[in-house]
Amino acid sequence: MQLKPCPFCGKDVSLALFGTKDRLYYGITRGTGENACQCRIFFESELFSEDTSIEEKQNIQLRLIKAWNTRKG
């Protein structure tokens, strides 16, 4: 699933992993590259740990992307 662009500037955003071993989360934030968003946006997933299954990590990513793509703005 592809991320929609920033609702403020229309440029690209990125999905990144943040946190520590027991408190990890995915975030949607500024993009990278020529068309990168430079707005101060941040959208977070629920917390998970390093021991979370790969399948659940993928589901967490998908839920975050879906929430981002269906946001109002």
Side-chain angles (χ1 to χ4, degrees):
M1 187 177 285
Q2 192 169 11
L3 288 167
K4 286 186 177 180
C6 173
F8 303 106
C9 69
K11 295 188 176 183
D12 295 336
V13 294
S14 295
L15 180 69
L17 180 64
F18 298 95
T20 60
K21 181 179 176 182
D22 295 325
R23 295 182 54 84
L24 294 165
Y25 61 95
Y26 292 106
I28 295 175
T29 187
R30 296 177 176 191
T32 58
E34 287 182 26
N35 195 39
C37 165
Q38 294 301 310
C39 298
R40 294 186 179 267
I41 58 165
F42 200 76
F43 210 72
E44 297 177 7
S45 74
E46 65 260 34
L47 293 173
F48 60 95
S49 73
E50 199 174 69
D51 298 331
T52 302
S53 72
I54 292 171
E55 181 179 2
E56 182 56 20
K57 289 176 186 176
Q58 290 171 337
N59 288 334
I60 291 169
Q61 283 183 9
L62 288 174
R63 286 192 295 271
L64 178 64
I65 292 169
K66 184 176 180 183
W68 172 262
N69 286 346
T70 58
R71 73 202 183 279
K72 295 188 180 186

